Each structure stands twice: as structure tokens, then as C-alpha cells.
Amino acid sequence: DAKTTQPPSMDCAEGRAANLPCNHSTISGNEYVYWYRQIHSQGPQYIIHGLKNNETNEMASLIITEDRKSSTLILPHATLRDTAVYYCIVGDQGAQKLVFGQGTRLTINP
Amino acid sequence: DTAVSQTPKYLVTQMGNDKSIKCEQNLGHDTMYWYKQDSKKFLKIMFSYNNKELIINETVPNRFSPKSPDKAHLNLHINSLELGDSAVYFCASSQNRGETQYFGPGTRLLVL
């Protein structure tokens, strides 16, 4: 079973920042937070991951709370192509499998 | 260049048939995976291979048999197909166990 809770759906206006929340209250000390997304009819795509520090890459930023019980994925300037299902996944770095939950269906509106 | 490729993209077949889905990765990765995404869109891991050795087998019926002829390939053979096998099957690979996974485009299997 997935160890994360995400809202089932969200909307965001094109050009705005999309902030996707994730709760992982039972995360343990050696577990990372991973974000993947799945655009319609495509395979999942890795976005970003982090342990306890905030992380940023060319796709997104990941903000993890100090107690590590929740995190937020930020897409700084959402485009229509960011419409997808976003999955927040918790696992240790040696985790040999990704356990996907239901994810958040993000719709970017023009 | 396609990093993780799967063939075929679509597969329609009759119940009881045997079929195979092929996966190839050109990333030089050591670990490969098969996931199944059912009609409710839940993605679940089925198998994982590391350096051609099976390391994960997630309670999958014996009708499903993965085969890894080399590190770059992980094929999925399905015997005696059933209606419930209809799903999208995704192959993935990672440099090593537990590292970022790269997914293929999926194979859409429909069993009639």
C-alpha cells in the first residue's frame, strides 16, 4: 500500500505556479520522497526526489517540511503540457520498487 | 533516441492465447522492471531483474514469466491469457536497484 496521501485532483491556470501537496506522516528516517508524473497515454516520468533538504531541478522544486511528514511539489510556471497525474512516493534509496498511490490529477487551464 | 522501448505498442488477442511483450533499454542500466496498470489506473510492480537475475516477484500468477536474455532486455511472456490480464504493461529500468526509474511508453493489451 502507498504510504502517501494526495488530493485526487487540482486545477491551475497556465503560467501560474502549481503547488501539489503530499502527506507522508509515517515516513521513516531513511526514506526519500519521490515525485513522478504520468501524462495521458505515456509511461511515468521521474521529476525530482529529496530526503530532508529542499531540492530544485529544471522541472520543479520540492519543499519538504522540517518534520518530513509532508511535502510540496512546485511547478513554477505551469504550461498546458504539465497536465498529468502526479505521484508522490516514499521509499528508501535501496527500495527496489515504486509503490504508486492514486496520485493527483493536475489540470492546467488556459 | 528512445531510452526504454517496448513492442508491441498495442496487442489485441483472444482468451487462452500465449503472447510476449518485449522491452529494451539502451541506457546501460543494470536493473529492469515490469509494472501493470489496470483499468482503474493503479500502477503495480510485477517483476524486477538486476543483472539478469530475478529480485522481485510480486505475487504474479505463474502464467506470467519474465525472461532476461541480457541486461538490456526484459521480456514478458504470458500464457493462457485471461480477460483480467487486459491492462497497460510498462517496462522500466534504473542504473541500480533503488535508483531513478525510466519508463517505457507502455503496451496496451486487450484480451477478448
Side-chain angles (χ1 to χ4, degrees):
Chain A
D1 289 336
K3 297 173 67 172
T4 61
T5 305
Q6 299 176 251
S9 63
M10 290 181 65
D11 284 86
C12 179
E14 189 179 17
R16 303 285 224 163
N19 298 294
L20 291 93
C22 179
N23 286 325
H24 31 80
S25 58
T26 61
I27 193 171
S28 53
N30 62 342
E31 288 183 318
Y32 285 71
V33 180
Y34 297 86
W35 283 84
Y36 282 74
R37 73 180 182 183
Q38 187 173 20
I39 295 170
H40 181 61
S41 296
Q42 296 183 22
Q45 177 190 23
Y46 166 80
I47 302 173
I48 198 167
H49 75 283
L51 182 62
K52 53 184 178 181
N53 297 322
N54 298 336
E55 302 287 344
T56 295
N57 63 20
E58 65 279 2
M59 290 182 70
S61 294
L62 174 60
I63 309 297
I64 303 173
T65 58
E66 196 167 339
D67 64 7
R68 302 209 322 123
K69 293 185 176 181
S70 65
S71 59
T72 301
L73 179 75
I74 301 172
L75 307 178
H77 304 286
T79 70
L80 298 179
R81 286 178 293 181
D82 292 322
T83 291
V85 178
Y86 287 77
Y87 296 98
C88 170
I89 299 166
V90 161
D92 61 58
Q93 196 163 24
Q96 297 171 22
K97 61 183 181 181
L98 297 174
V99 180
F100 288 83
Q102 290 187 302
T104 296
R105 181 172 298 279
L106 175 68
T107 302
I108 306 300
N109 300 306
Chain B
D1 289 344
T2 303
V4 182
S5 59
Q6 296 178 227
T7 53
K9 188 172 182 180
Y10 298 96
L11 183 54
V12 181
T13 188
Q14 299 286 332
M15 261 190 346
N17 284 350
D18 303 338
K19 290 293 178 186
S20 291
I21 306 171
K22 296 185 176 181
C23 178
E24 177 181 4
Q25 53 95 3
N26 63 6
L27 298 168
H29 287 169
D30 286 344
T31 308
M32 295 185 73
Y33 312 80
W34 276 108
Y35 286 82
K36 177 181 179 181
Q37 188 167 39
D38 60 24
S39 57
K40 296 183 179 179
K41 303 297 184 184
F42 286 110
L43 257 169
K44 291 185 180 177
I45 191 163
M46 301 173 69
F47 299 102
S48 173
Y49 269 71
N50 188 65
N51 282 321
K52 296 171 44 180
E53 288 189 27
L54 180 67
I55 53 173
I56 292 178
N57 182 343
E58 286 283 312
T59 320
V60 177
N62 291 336
R63 299 182 295 102
F64 290 79
S65 53
K67 286 185 172 52
S68 182
D70 54 59
K71 280 191 344 180
H73 297 85
L74 181 61
N75 304 323
L76 184 64
H77 188 76
I78 314 170
N79 288 327
S80 303
L81 278 155
E82 300 178 357
L83 294 177
D85 298 333
S86 295
V88 183
Y89 292 83
F90 289 100
C91 176
S93 73
S94 62
Q95 182 63 62
N96 288 303
R97 304 182 208 188
E99 298 194 15
T100 300
Q101 294 185 25
Y102 296 85
F103 285 78
T107 294
R108 285 141 189 84
L109 171 64
L110 178 60
V111 182
L112 302 174

